Amino acid sequence: MAKNIVLIGIMGSGKTTLGKIIAEKTGMEFIDTDEMVIQRVGKQIGEIFEEHGEAYFRDIEAEIVEEVSKKENCVISTGGGVVLRDENVDSLKRTGVMFFLTASPMTLWERVKGDKLRPLLKGDNVIGVLKRVLTARLPLYEQADYTINTENSPEKTVEAIIKLYTKHTSLSSQE
Ligand code: S3P
C-alpha cells in the first residue's frame, strides 16, 4: 500500500498551501481535515466553536481523522490541534509518514495576520498566542517522523518533503 503524506503543525505553518502543491506534483489525492469538518457540519470553524464549543469540533475532527487514516496514497493536511488527541496521531502515523511543518513565530504571524476565520486567533496578541500554543504543543508535534522548516520557498520545501517521503517509503518496503 502507498502510505499517505500527513502534514501537522501550528496555524500558518503551511499545511494546506504546501499540501496542495505536493498533491499536484505527486498525483496523490489532497485531503484537508478542516475542510471536511466544515462540509460535514455545514458551518465555518469559527461558528462551530461558538455555537457548539471546541470539544464538539474535536469530536468531529477525530471522526474524520479515523476515516481518512483508512485511505492510502493521499496528502492529508490537518488542523493545528489534531495532535491534542493521541489516537489521532496514532491513526495518522499508522498509514502515513508524518511531517511537522514549522517556522519562526514572526513568519507564522506574517502568514496568519488579518485572518478572521481562525477562532484561536481572535484576540489582539496573535503573536503571543502563536508562541504559547507552539510551546505547549511542541512535544506533541515532535511525534512526527520529520520536522520541516518552512522558511524556504514553497518549491524547495515541497521538494524536501517528497524526497524524504520517497526515501522513507522505499526503506520501509524493504523491511
Ligand atoms: C486549530 C487550527 C485550525 C483549526 C481550528 C483549531 C488549532 O486549523 O483546526 O481553528 O487548534 O490549532 P489550521 O491549523 O489549519 O489553521
Side-chain angles (χ1 to χ4, degrees):
M1 83 170 255
K3 280 199 152 189
N4 299 317
I5 293 179
V6 180
L7 305 179
I8 64 167
I10 195 173
M11 298 162 279
S13 58
K15 303 176 298 276
T16 304
T17 309
L18 298 172
K20 283 183 181 163
I21 306 176
I22 298 170
E24 210 170 278
K25 289 221 165 187
T26 55
M28 294 162 86
E29 181 191 345
F30 176 71
I31 293 176
D32 185 326
T33 61
D34 275 349
E35 199 45 51
M36 285 181 74
V37 174
I38 294 169
Q39 295 302 327
R40 187 148 310 174
V41 182
K43 291 177 185 163
Q44 288 300 323
I45 292 175
E47 293 173 317
I48 303 175
F49 269 61
E50 258 169 44
E51 293 170 25
H52 306 273
E54 181 173 345
Y56 176 81
F57 170 83
R58 297 293 172 207
D59 286 344
I60 307 286
E61 182 178 55
E63 193 180 290
I64 283 165
V65 164
E66 202 184 320
E67 286 168 29
V68 301
S69 298
K70 296 198 176 100
K71 295 175 78 96
E72 54 182 89
N73 210 26
C74 293
V75 181
I76 303 173
S77 158
T78 59
V82 79
V83 292
L84 294 172
R85 291 198 182 175
D86 288 344
E87 62 267 33
N88 290 344
V89 177
D90 293 346
S91 309
L92 289 165
K93 278 187 85 173
R94 203 172 311 123
T95 51
V97 186
M98 187 175 273
F99 295 87
F100 164 36
L101 307 185
T102 190
S104 71
M106 208 49 167
T107 303
L108 295 169
W109 174 76
E110 283 289 340
R111 293 181 189 156
V112 299
K113 69 178 177 194
D115 185 317
K116 298 274 173 281
L117 291 175
R118 289 177 166 107
L120 298 183
L121 302 181
K122 265 199 322 208
D124 289 334
N125 184 13
V126 170
I127 195 151
V129 173
L130 287 169
K131 277 187 189 163
R132 186 167 47 75
V133 173
L134 189 54
T135 307
R137 291 182 184 165
L138 199 58
L140 302 175
Y141 288 139
E142 285 178 339
Q143 296 173 93
D145 297 294
Y146 301 100
T147 298
I148 305 288
N149 182 330
T150 63
E151 302 272 351
N152 266 319
S153 68
E155 291 71 27
K156 280 217 165 98
T157 310
V158 163
E159 208 177 291
I161 294 173
I162 296 175
K163 215 174 188 173
L164 284 167
Y165 169 78
T166 310
K167 193 167 157 206
H168 186 105
T169 46
S170 68
L171 284 178
S172 43
S173 68
Q174 285 165 20
E175 278 168 10

